[in-house]
Amino acid sequence: MDLGTIKDKIKEGKYSSIPQAAEDVRLVWSNCMTYNADGSDFFLLAKTLSKKWEEKYAKLIADLQLDTSGTPTFAGDLPPDGKISLDDKRAFAKSLYKITKEDLGKIIVEVDSKCPQALTKNSGEDECELNIDKLSPSLFQELKQFVAACSAKSQTAKKKGGAGTKRKST
């Protein structure tokens, strides 16, 4: 098992839950520490990365308030017919206004690489339009989860830094 394989399996929807993918990431670190000498550069790197990964994974689970029992999936909770409801599309569109420009840029890059037909680019005005109807249900759910993570991240940042900063009126 390696991180590239895990990434491919996530893209292909082969994991049934987030914790299942997490177990494979843990396996990568464990294998590296098992098959490299204690104290070697690879062993120490795997140990450090494992610790950092566990911290970030725990924070992600807490921020998104996910149940790690195996129910959340990468495909999200799609209906059996795979169609996205109009309410889901509207909620997603509204949520795009709540994320940073950088995160919005990441979404555009992701859509451009996975589903370019969903973007209409206007190079003269440096704008693009996202047609949600042209997104595949799996990509829609992936983007929806990304936006939720960004929103959770910004809420955490506001709680930490929002109270201590005041602006002077001029």
Side-chain angles (χ1 to χ4, degrees):
M1 185 58 59
D2 62 79
L3 296 174
T5 302
I6 294 169
K7 182 180 177 182
D8 291 342
K9 287 174 78 173
I10 290 171
K11 283 182 179 178
E12 295 167 6
K14 294 197 175 177
Y15 290 112
S16 63
S17 67
I18 292 171
Q20 186 181 23
E23 284 305 311
D24 276 354
V25 173
R26 289 183 184 106
L27 180 63
V28 170
W29 309 137
S30 174
N31 285 347
C32 188
M33 290 186 281
T34 301
Y35 296 105
N36 289 287
D38 191 1
S40 71
D41 288 344
F42 289 112
F43 181 94
L44 295 173
L45 184 61
K47 191 173 181 178
T48 302
L49 289 173
S50 175
K51 183 178 178 186
K52 287 182 180 180
W53 184 84
E54 290 295 343
E55 290 169 0
K56 292 196 180 271
Y57 177 71
K59 185 176 181 334
L60 173 72
I61 296 300
D63 285 349
L64 296 179
Q65 299 176 344
L66 293 177
D67 173 16
T68 57
S69 66
T71 50
T73 65
F74 287 102
D77 298 325
L78 283 175
D81 62 2
K83 293 190 179 182
I84 305 159
S85 73
L86 184 58
D87 288 339
D88 278 347
K89 291 176 186 178
R90 284 183 180 152
F92 175 73
K94 284 182 181 179
S95 70
L96 292 177
Y97 289 100
K98 298 176 184 175
I99 62 174
T100 66
K101 292 177 187 176
E102 291 79 17
D103 290 333
L104 186 57
K106 290 176 186 176
I107 287 175
I108 291 169
V109 169
E110 189 76 7
V111 170
D112 195 30
S113 70
K114 293 184 177 179
C115 187
Q117 67 272 17
L119 285 178
T120 305
K121 298 175 187 174
N122 183 346
S123 59
E125 296 180 22
D126 225 12
E127 293 179 349
C128 67
E129 183 178 320
L130 173 62
N131 186 340
I132 295 174
D133 294 325
K134 292 185 179 179
L135 294 174
S136 68
S138 61
L139 180 57
F140 177 80
Q141 291 300 329
E142 181 182 330
L143 296 175
K144 192 171 143 183
Q145 289 178 344
F146 176 76
V147 171
C150 293
S151 297
K153 182 175 65 174
S154 69
Q155 292 298 325
T156 305
K158 285 180 184 177
K159 287 178 185 175
K160 287 181 180 177
T165 57
K166 291 185 181 178
R167 291 187 178 190
K168 280 195 232 176
S169 58
T170 53

